[in-house]
Amino acid sequence: MFGIRPRQKITQADWTGYMAQRAQQAKNPALQQFFGTPLPDPETPISEVPMVALDMETTGLDERRHAIVSIGLVPFTLNRIKLAERRYWVVNPSRPLAEASITYHHITHSEIAHAPDLEEILDALLAQLAGRLVVVHFRNIERPFLNAAVKTRRGEGVLFPMIDTMSLEARLHRQTLWARFRRWLGRPPVSIRLHASRERYGLPAYQGHHALVDALATAELLQAQIATHYRPDTPLKDMWC
């Protein structure tokens, strides 16, 4: 049995076995189909991997007390961003919105009043993710929130490998000898937030905290990261987590 919690690290080998086992164990048909759709082999060059950038806006940062209010998806490859296939949903979090939350993501009470529950769009969401490598900026939001939301509605959670563009920036700017030297000098760490990360690659500034816009921003960031620091033949196993 894979007793994996949302924030527990899974190795590359574990992911392959985990997905296969979940395909056999899942009881919900949509989850059976999701886990049964093969992902690219871990040795696949990143240039050949179909990906989808995912971003969520939530009512807070704790998946146990807060909920998803919007989801944005943008399918892409290293060479092309498929804006025509983008998807965006506002969903009802089934709990009051705090004023701080509204200020952050600009989704109001009136917008969620007639929005569907996540249950109503969940099958469509899983179908868009199936067979693609999901790319996020800071997986400790998307991974636990989606897992908790699906578990509440379907009785079983959903975990899968991701490429985390924030984690890739951390490798470059938080985990090097130079980064340690900066800390020793008392200098603040380099920001690895989405806007600051994009700025380093000369990418344009977008209005943040909109799930669809941030998904697009994340897709562009990964393309820039790989073009600058990696090779197109870098195997997928070196990038997912």
Side-chain angles (χ1 to χ4, degrees):
M1 292 290 293
F2 281 80
I4 297 169
R5 297 184 297 275
R7 292 192 173 123
Q8 185 175 347
K9 184 173 180 179
I10 305 173
T11 67
Q12 290 93 347
D14 287 338
W15 274 126
T16 302
Y18 170 80
M19 298 291 284
Q21 188 172 49
R22 284 299 308 275
Q24 296 294 320
Q25 294 177 342
K27 297 178 175 60
N28 180 265
L31 290 174
Q32 289 174 352
Q33 184 170 356
F34 172 78
F35 285 113
T37 303
L39 285 173
D41 185 274
E43 298 292 342
T44 304
I46 192 64
S47 60
E48 299 175 15
V49 174
M51 294 175 279
V52 58
L54 166 69
D55 188 80
M56 295 176 180
E57 295 300 319
T58 64
T59 61
L61 301 177
D62 186 344
E63 74 277 6
R64 295 164 296 183
R65 298 186 296 113
H66 302 124
I68 299 166
V69 291
S70 66
I71 302 172
L73 296 179
V74 178
F76 73 107
T77 64
L78 282 194
N79 299 317
R80 181 186 174 197
I81 292 178
K82 303 177 181 180
L83 280 178
E85 298 178 26
R86 67 191 183 277
R87 300 294 300 271
Y88 177 69
W89 298 275
V90 174
V91 294
N92 194 317
S94 301
R95 63 197 71 190
L97 293 176
E99 291 303 316
S101 172
I102 295 172
T103 301
Y104 193 73
H105 51 58
H106 305 294
I107 295 172
T108 63
H109 294 284
S110 59
E111 287 184 83
I112 67 167
H114 303 291
D117 185 85
L118 181 65
E119 170 63 29
E120 296 181 46
I121 61 99
L122 187 52
D123 287 2
L125 172 62
L126 291 172
Q128 290 291 315
L129 301 181
R132 289 170 165 154
L133 236 295
V134 174
V135 181
V136 301
H137 193 79
F138 191 48
R139 64 187 182 276
N140 285 342
I141 293 293
E142 279 77 15
R143 179 171 281 164
F145 267 89
L146 185 57
N147 183 67
V150 173
K151 191 169 185 177
T152 295
R153 289 159 178 82
R154 301 292 170 93
E156 46 190 331
V158 58
L159 297 174
F160 46 83
M162 294 178 168
I163 295 175
D164 184 350
T165 52
M166 178 179 275
S167 179
L168 296 182
E169 286 298 286
R171 293 183 193 178
L172 297 166
H173 300 291
R174 295 285 183 88
Q175 299 167 7
T176 62
L177 287 174
W178 173 243
R180 296 190 191 104
F181 183 61
R182 281 179 62 90
R183 289 196 296 272
W184 182 78
L185 291 175
R187 296 181 182 176
V190 172
S191 174
I192 54 175
R193 295 175 70 88
L194 182 57
H195 175 78
S197 297
R198 286 175 56 83
E199 195 173 48
R200 276 191 290 275
Y201 295 92
L203 295 170
Y206 292 155
Q207 181 65 44
H209 309 305
H210 184 288
L212 184 58
V213 175
D214 283 352
L216 171 61
T218 299
E220 292 177 344
L221 175 58
L222 182 67
Q223 289 179 327
Q225 287 172 321
I226 293 174
T228 305
H229 300 293
Y230 297 88
R231 294 169 51 91
D233 59 359
T234 300
L236 175 59
K237 68 180 183 180
D238 290 353
M239 310 206 73
W240 71 9
C241 54

